[in-house]
Amino acid sequence: MISSTRAHQLRGAKHVVVFTGAGASAESGIPTFRDALTGLWEHFDPAKLATSDAYRDDPALCWGWYEWRRHKVVKAQPNEAHRAIADLAKRVPKLTVVTQNVDDLHERAGSQDVIHLHGSLHSPRCIDCGKAYTLPFTPEALPEDGSRIDPPRCTACHGYVRPGVVWFGEMLPEDAWSAGLAAAEECDVFLSIGTSGVVYPAAELPLRALGHGATVVHINPVRFDISGREHFLQGPASVLMQGLLSEAFGDLSAQ
Ligand code: APR
């Protein structure tokens, strides 16, 4: 049950930050980052695959993994959590969506100006000269469990094309990080949805919000330790986000 306090705080908020992790896309059928990998990838640690070393060691294995993930995103649909987040933007004076996800499901649900801290599967670039590369919208029909795929070559310098995501050990895009940090430090309500909160600096954002007195609410089916000043709504994002909005703003379907 969503507490009326939480709903009241959301209703009266001036600036809400919605901070999402892989759990926000889980109900769209996108495996979370730390879900056990299957098929070709089941013996790999995602944290090892998502590195520039792995890519240089075996470009076809890594590019195949990212194309397999992109294929899942293209076939997926935004879920009720994405839609509730897009709807929330119409009900509060200011909403900033900051995501760790590399899919475009927030945008496809109607959210605008989404801040992607870890890049996007839809913005590959040359690993050598950085030139943007345009991928075919739907990747070739891929085997369900993925396959090795030789990466395309840059049209300018013939270098390998790499995924447009932030790999472990790489800096976050400066403009995305600055915008996410500014929003966390200005907001009065911070909803952290579907993230394990173990990867920094992204995981710093809820702490910054808490630090200046914002109401911080975690939404996750798996309970984890939080400080006494944070709130926890345990359950799936789609159910809890819809519940939070209808508690705060009434029956949404009627409006
Ligand atoms: N609703 C809400 N949360 C969910 C749901 C759901 N339906 N299903 C799973 N979760 C939660 C899990 O309990 C877990 O806490 O989503 C979280 C997903 O955690 P991770 O897989 O660690 O993903 P994330 O937190 O986004 O990882 C952060 O780490 O490796 C990097 O770049 C990668 O962006 C990723 C970042």
Side-chain angles (χ1 to χ4, degrees), residues 21-23 26-27 32-34 100 118 168 194-196 199 220-222 236-237:
E27 292 166 83
T32 65
F33 198 76
R34 286 167 183 80
Q100 301 171 88
H118 293 162
F168 283 96
T195 180
S196 54
V199 174
N220 198 312
V222 175

Side-chain angles (χ1 to χ4, degrees), residues 57-154:
D57 290 350
D58 193 340
L61 179 80
C62 288
W63 183 256
W65 182 49
Y66 281 96
E67 280 296 85
W68 175 73
R69 291 171 67 192
R70 185 167 75 95
H71 192 253
K72 282 193 174 293
V73 168
V74 166
K75 286 200 305 182
Q77 292 302 322
N79 63 56
E80 287 308 322
H82 295 113
R83 278 194 277 277
I85 292 163
D87 190 49
L88 181 56
K90 303 173 201 151
R91 302 180 186 279
V92 293
K94 186 175 178 185
L95 176 77
T96 306
V97 180
V98 186
T99 189
Q100 301 171 88
N101 298 338
V102 293
D103 63 51
D104 60 348
L105 295 177
H106 280 302
E107 290 87 344
R108 286 163 56 193
S111 288
Q112 299 186 346
D113 306 323
V114 177
I115 297 169
H116 282 268
L117 295 178
H118 293 162
S120 167
L121 287 171
H122 299 291
S123 54
R125 63 179 188 272
C126 174
I127 199 163
D128 293 328
C129 74
K131 183 178 184 321
Y133 185 85
T134 305
L135 285 165
F137 176 65
T138 44
E140 301 304 312
L142 297 180
E144 197 46 43
D145 281 344
S147 59
R148 298 165 63 89
I149 303 175
D150 283 329
R153 291 287 185 156
C154 170

Side-chain angles (χ1 to χ4, degrees), residues 145-249:
D145 281 344
S147 59
R148 298 165 63 89
I149 303 175
D150 283 329
R153 291 287 185 156
C154 170
T155 52
C157 75
H158 205 56
Y160 275 131
V161 171
R162 58 159 286 174
V165 303
V166 178
W167 278 329
F168 283 96
E170 292 185 325
M171 299 291 285
L172 273 57
E174 178 52 37
D175 53 345
W177 175 247
S178 310
L181 194 55
E185 292 187 335
E186 181 200 87
C187 69
D188 43 352
V189 174
F190 189 101
L191 304 178
S192 176
I193 303 172
T195 180
S196 54
V198 296
V199 174
Y200 285 80
E204 177 74 24
L205 295 184
L207 303 175
R208 292 295 185 100
L210 193 65
H212 72 77
T215 298
V216 176
V217 184
H218 298 276
I219 291 179
N220 198 312
V222 175
R223 179 95 204 173
F224 50 78
D225 288 342
I226 55 172
S227 75
R229 294 179 298 140
E230 296 164 88
H231 308 277
F232 203 104
L233 297 177
Q234 186 164 0
S238 60
V239 171
L240 290 174
M241 277 308 292
Q242 286 184 74
L244 195 54
L245 264 70
S246 50
E247 184 82 16
F249 304 104

